[in-house]
Amino acid sequence: MVMTVAELLAEPQLGLSLLAGAPGLGNRILWAHTSDLPRLWEWVTGGELMMTNGLSIPADAAGQVELAEELVKAGASALAVGEKMHAPQLLPEFLQACDRLPLPVINVPYPLPFIAIARSVAESSLLEESRRLRQTARIYDLLRLAGPSGDQWQGLVQAVAAELGSQLFVVDRRCLHPWHPGGAELPGELARQVGPLAAHTSTAGRKIQWRHLGERRVLLMDVPTHDGALLVVLPGSEPPPDAVVLLHAATVLGLELSRTVLAVENRRRLGAEFLQQAFEGRYGAAEVENRLQDLGLPAGEFHVASMSCAEPEQLAQIHLGLWRHGFPNACLQEFKTVHVLLPPAWSDNALRHAAGRDIRIGVSRPARAAGLQRALQESLWALGTAESIREPLVRYADGPSWLGLTSFEEGQALVQRLLGPVIDYERGRQPDLMTTLKTYLDRQRSWQKTAEALFTHRQTIIYRIRKIGELTGLDMAETSTLAQLWFALQIHEAMDPR
């Protein structure tokens, strides 16, 4: 059996004595650990007897009280202090706090080595170690029994919870929503209490955090391999689950999440291949409907959403954010834009939350299979509007006019009138003229700066600008001409991100 603080004190060969914290004599000691580092509690995972020569103990009363409180919060069973070593005087405020918390404080007589205490604790823990190994084996076996189906997630969580005698929730640290769309939500009151704890605990820091919520303890720990995934453990009884077993439980849940995410990535790849060809017009309406049903999307009506962000890694994770928040979708990333097919029922706030911060979103009107390409144009137009007016989400036809235009048809007509001859001329060729025009306007119409940016000769730039004038019939020396071309370029780039 696991040794208690009272049983350790009763070991006659050790000669230990209690300085404070008598109400905690029943605390179980799972392990004995030595440290003289500052912030001693950061090395606690739960159930340890922390042994120190005193260098970890502050000299002031406030620091000593903080040490006691943080050790209890972290789950330490007791504190053992070496006699006649480096410990400052243990102040009355500290001893009173240890009685109140309670935190047993043990005096280690000089020159008793800490290893003698650690050996006594280890010998008493042999049976407990055997029990821990069997429990860990059963938890890993649950992963095998869960099978390959993605619908098994909550069943696995419940099975692990039953093995640990606790309630388990796997949530997104940032919003406390279930990490898996089939997961259980944190109860409202618990979410309110856990929210500040999750927000102020760095994922780069400790992996296990025992916290007190009133009279109840709660464990917050990271799920390996999934940044932002937080495991919340509510022990059903005392003592709480063993810290080592909890780490294995988190690993098992992380492995199942990884297996599920692999399936999601496979569906994303299939959806991207379908959208690429559908947007190019390679499928008829009937085939589009069949493929949508295969992807779990309603064939009758859907929306196209186009999204952009300055951070490419955020764009690469949008499909996972949508999946985790219950949005069935097909997703295609093209350069700095992601196109997503969404079911008809969704809200602006839910979509913005699922997509993530700093994402601009343009959404088409409701569309059917035959109108898929038009819906893409509408979503791109709405996205251009969102970026120009710095709004997080704009719905096509519901948003304000963009650059004085109210529809993508007007935008296309403008682009065709001003840039159509250049686009037609370059079809099948290297797009030197369009690239040069954009760079020229972005570099304040400087021949030299444009040449440097494109790694070419200044005379080449002059020739290309003159060629654009010949093709369009516009006077490239006129400010009004350049203003119109800049205007058309903005529309063209928004409507065709490639």
Side-chain angles (χ1 to χ4, degrees):
M1 292 183 59
V2 176
M3 176 180 283
T4 65
V5 175
E7 289 169 342
L8 179 65
L9 289 168
E11 294 279 332
Q13 77 278 12
L14 299 178
L16 305 176
S17 59
L18 184 70
L19 299 177
L25 288 175
N27 291 354
R28 294 163 26 114
I29 302 175
L30 301 178
W31 195 247
H33 183 64
T34 303
S35 177
D36 280 308
L37 294 172
R39 301 174 67 85
L40 189 61
W41 57 87
E42 292 188 346
W43 310 101
V44 176
T45 59
E48 289 92 351
L49 166 68
M50 299 301 293
M51 301 181 291
T52 177
N53 280 325
L55 293 174
S56 298
I57 301 177
D60 62 295
Q64 291 186 6
V65 170
E66 180 190 25
L67 172 65
E69 292 176 342
E70 293 297 333
L71 282 173
V72 171
K73 286 181 182 178
S77 296
L79 174 66
V81 183
E83 185 181 59
K84 299 180 182 180
M85 298 300 289
H86 307 290
Q89 180 184 357
L90 300 181
L91 301 174
E93 294 87 344
F94 171 69
L95 299 176
Q96 292 168 9
C98 291
D99 287 332
R100 169 176 54 83
L101 288 167
L103 175 69
V105 181
I106 298 171
N107 180 71
V108 181
Y110 181 85
L112 179 70
F114 287 160
I115 190 64
I117 301 173
R119 184 176 292 121
S120 292
V121 172
E123 289 173 353
S124 70
S125 299
L126 288 176
L127 291 176
E128 178 65 16
E129 180 65 22
S130 176
R131 183 198 65 80
R132 183 189 297 129
L133 287 172
R134 292 195 301 272
Q135 187 177 32
T136 301
R138 290 195 299 270
I139 288 174
Y140 276 101
D141 199 46
L142 292 174
L143 182 62
R144 178 183 63 82
L145 297 174
S149 172
D151 299 331
Q152 303 296 324
W153 167 250
Q154 190 57 24
L156 176 63
V157 173
Q158 291 173 350
V160 174
E163 184 63 50
L164 296 175
S166 306
Q167 288 181 276
L168 300 184
F169 301 90
V170 181
V171 299
D172 187 330
R173 179 185 291 274
R174 291 155 290 199
C175 60
L176 298 186
H177 291 161
W179 184 262
H180 190 289
E185 293 190 9
L186 278 175
E189 179 61 21
L190 179 60
R192 185 186 66 79
Q193 294 175 310
V194 168
L197 301 179
H200 291 91
T201 303
S202 172
T203 56
R206 297 175 56 230
K207 298 302 181 184
I208 295 181
Q209 298 279 344
W210 281 107
R211 299 295 186 184
H212 284 266
L213 300 179
E215 298 297 321
R216 192 174 191 181
R217 284 207 292 176
V218 61
L219 171 72
L220 307 180
M221 62 188 302
D222 297 327
V223 176
T225 71
H226 290 80
D227 182 34
L230 182 69
L231 175 61
V232 181
V233 182
L234 299 177
S237 61
E238 292 293 336
D242 178 81
V244 174
V245 175
L246 282 169
L247 286 172
H248 285 294
T251 299
V252 164
L253 295 175
L255 289 171
E256 177 61 19
L257 281 180
S258 296
R259 183 162 63 180
T260 305
V261 168
L262 282 175
V264 173
E265 290 292 345
N266 185 54
R267 289 198 298 271
R268 181 204 62 78
R269 180 182 59 80
L270 294 174
E273 292 174 355
F274 157 68
L275 285 183
Q276 179 72 56
Q277 298 182 56
F279 286 153
E280 293 173 357
R282 299 185 185 182
Y283 293 135
E287 191 168 2
V288 168
E289 291 179 353
N290 291 335
R291 295 295 297 273
L292 287 175
Q293 290 175 346
D294 293 341
L295 293 169
L297 287 164
E301 191 173 84
F302 52 83
H303 293 266
V304 175
S306 294
M307 308 181 187
S308 67
C309 179
E311 300 296 332
E313 57 271 17
Q314 268 192 270
L315 291 178
Q317 298 298 315
I318 282 177
H319 65 289
L320 289 176
L322 294 170
W323 164 74
R324 289 195 294 103
H325 288 84
F327 281 86
N329 67 91
C331 181
L332 170 66
Q333 182 171 355
E334 290 187 312
F335 302 93
K336 294 184 178 180
T337 306
V338 169
H339 308 299
V340 183
L341 255 64
L342 297 171
W346 53 274
S347 69
D348 292 3
N349 289 337
L351 181 58
R352 288 172 54 192
H353 178 83
R357 295 183 304 171
D358 304 322
I359 300 291
R360 303 285 185 191
I361 307 174
V363 185
S364 73
R365 293 178 295 185
R368 294 182 177 275
L372 179 60
Q373 291 171 299
R374 178 185 176 86
L376 173 63
Q377 295 293 330
E378 292 180 353
S379 68
L380 283 169
W381 182 267
L383 176 61
T385 306
E387 291 175 334
S388 67
I389 65 175
R390 301 184 183 278
E391 281 290 324
L393 187 147
V394 169
R395 291 173 180 254
Y396 182 80
D398 291 343
S401 64
W402 177 29
L403 300 175
L405 305 174
T406 59
S407 69
F408 79 86
E409 287 92 349
E410 291 183 10
Q412 284 180 323
L414 177 70
V415 170
Q416 182 59 35
R417 179 169 60 85
L418 293 174
L419 293 175
V422 180
I423 295 171
D424 292 340
Y425 175 80
E426 291 200 326
R427 189 164 285 120
R429 294 188 177 96
Q430 185 72 17
D432 293 330
L433 297 184
M434 293 291 288
T435 301
T436 300
L437 177 61
K438 176 179 174 7
T439 308
Y440 177 66
L441 295 177
D442 288 344
R443 298 300 188 280
Q444 295 79 47
R445 294 175 291 169
S446 167
W447 307 111
Q448 190 59 40
K449 290 180 180 179
T450 304
E452 291 172 357
L454 296 178
F455 301 100
T456 190
H457 196 276
R458 179 175 178 271
Q459 285 301 125
T460 302
I461 302 300
I462 295 174
Y463 166 77
R464 290 177 183 173
I465 296 299
R466 287 176 178 169
K467 185 66 175 178
I468 293 172
E470 292 176 9
L471 292 170
T472 59
L474 299 172
D475 185 351
M476 300 300 290
E478 289 288 338
T479 301
S480 60
T481 294
L482 297 176
Q484 292 179 70
L485 291 174
W486 176 88
F487 189 84
L489 270 176
Q490 306 308 303
I491 302 296
H492 178 63
E493 287 185 351
M495 300 301 292
D496 187 358
R498 289 165 288 189

